[in-house]
């Protein structure tokens, strides 16, 4: 059975975090759902929100994030292990952390895959 690099990295990172209180915390990626509109532009169905568990690490924003348009000093870098999330991550999602120093809801201002393909590197802002 072939193990993908992202799965192997996630297994090591989660194991380390669980055993030693490491950087990857339990989180949830949440999407609001897509509303359905009638011909007049009124919302007929608000859409079904989607929630997926994931593991996230919070860190200081990178220099390139600091240089991006709209950056605020309170923005942070969030790394989400791709193998911990069963769907692709995008800026429509919000990351929710239930406890710890990064508890709260975080809006993703940017989101892309890291060069090694083990996760998503995001710029996030606490709501």
């Amino acid at each position: 059975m072939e193990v993908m690099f992202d799965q192997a990295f996630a297994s090591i990172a989660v194991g380390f975090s669980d055993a030693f209180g490491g950087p990857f915390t339990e989180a949830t990626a949440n999407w609001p759902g897509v509303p359905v509109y009638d011909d007049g532009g009124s919302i007929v169905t608000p859409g079904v929100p989607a929630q997926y568990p994931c593991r996230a690490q919070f860190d200081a924003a990178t220099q390139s994030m600091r240089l991006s348009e709209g950056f605020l000093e309170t923005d942070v870098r969030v790394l989400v292990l791709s193998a911990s999330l069963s769907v692709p991550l995008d800026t429509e999602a919000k990351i929710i952390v239930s406890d710890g120093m990064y508890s709260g809801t975080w809006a993703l201002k940017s989101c892309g895959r890291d060069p090694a393909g083990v996760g998503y590197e995001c710029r996030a802002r606490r709501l």
Side-chain angles (χ1 to χ4, degrees):
M1 177 176 157
E2 181 180 316
V3 175
M4 301 303 294
F5 183 66
D6 63 338
Q7 293 168 332
F9 183 85
S11 178
I12 293 166
V14 168
F16 180 81
S17 290
D18 288 348
F20 302 106
F24 287 96
T25 186
E26 292 183 12
T28 306
N30 294 271
W31 284 264
V34 179
V36 176
Y37 297 91
D38 66 14
D39 292 337
S42 297
I43 295 176
V44 177
T45 307
V48 178
Q51 299 180 352
Y52 298 91
C54 62
R55 289 292 190 123
Q57 174 187 347
F58 289 78
D59 200 354
T62 64
Q63 185 61 24
S64 101
M65 289 176 181
R66 292 178 178 284
L67 296 173
S68 65
E69 185 175 335
F71 175 80
L72 296 179
E73 285 298 320
T74 54
D75 290 354
V76 297
R77 177 182 185 213
V78 179
L79 302 172
V80 177
L81 294 173
S82 59
S84 74
L85 188 59
S86 61
V87 296
L89 189 62
D90 60 32
T91 56
E92 296 298 314
K94 291 180 177 44
I95 300 295
I96 298 176
V97 178
S98 61
D99 61 330
M101 75 183 285
Y102 292 103
S103 64
T105 301
W106 298 84
L108 301 182
K109 299 302 182 178
S110 67
C111 181
R113 291 300 299 251
D114 72 289
V118 297
Y120 296 91
E121 181 179 56
C122 309
R123 178 170 62 95
R125 184 172 299 154
R126 192 182 300 220
L127 297 177

